[in-house]
Amino acid sequence: MRKGEGTLLLRVAVGLFAIGLIALIVLFLAEPITGETAPLFVYLLTMCAPLGFLCGLIFALRSGRRAKREADRSGDDDTAQLE
C-alpha cells in the first residue's frame, strides 16, 4: 500500500464519521425544533458514523502493520540493543 492510499482512507474515515455525527445531531434535534420526526435520509446518514469508525480502524491496523514491516526491513532490532 502506498502512502497516498493510506491518507485517502483516513480522509474518507474522518469524513464519513463527521457526516454521521452531524446526522445524529440533526436526528435528535429535529423533533424538538420542528415537531416532526426526521426524514428518512437523516436516519440513513447516521449509518455513516459507524462506517467511518470502521474505516478508521482499518486504517490504523494497516498502518501499524506497514510500520512494523518497514522496521523489520531496515534491520532495526530494539531487542539487540537491550541486551
Side-chain angles (χ1 to χ4, degrees), residues 30-59:
E31 191 168 351
I33 292 173
T34 64
E36 300 176 3
T37 59
L40 177 63
F41 76 90
V42 174
Y43 284 94
L44 295 176
L45 282 177
T46 58
M47 292 305 297
C48 288
L51 286 175
F53 182 77
L54 182 63
C55 287
L57 186 62
I58 291 169
F59 168 77

Side-chain angles (χ1 to χ4, degrees), residues 17-78:
F17 192 73
I19 290 170
L21 285 182
I22 292 169
L24 279 169
I25 292 169
V26 169
L27 180 69
F28 283 111
L29 293 179
E31 191 168 351
I33 292 173
T34 64
E36 300 176 3
T37 59
L40 177 63
F41 76 90
V42 174
Y43 284 94
L44 295 176
L45 282 177
T46 58
M47 292 305 297
C48 288
L51 286 175
F53 182 77
L54 182 63
C55 287
L57 186 62
I58 291 169
F59 168 77
L61 291 174
R62 290 180 79 178
S63 64
R65 288 182 183 167
R66 183 176 53 233
K68 183 179 179 190
R69 197 176 325 126
E70 289 173 1
D72 289 343
R73 280 189 207 154
S74 67
D76 293 338
D77 190 11
D78 293 338

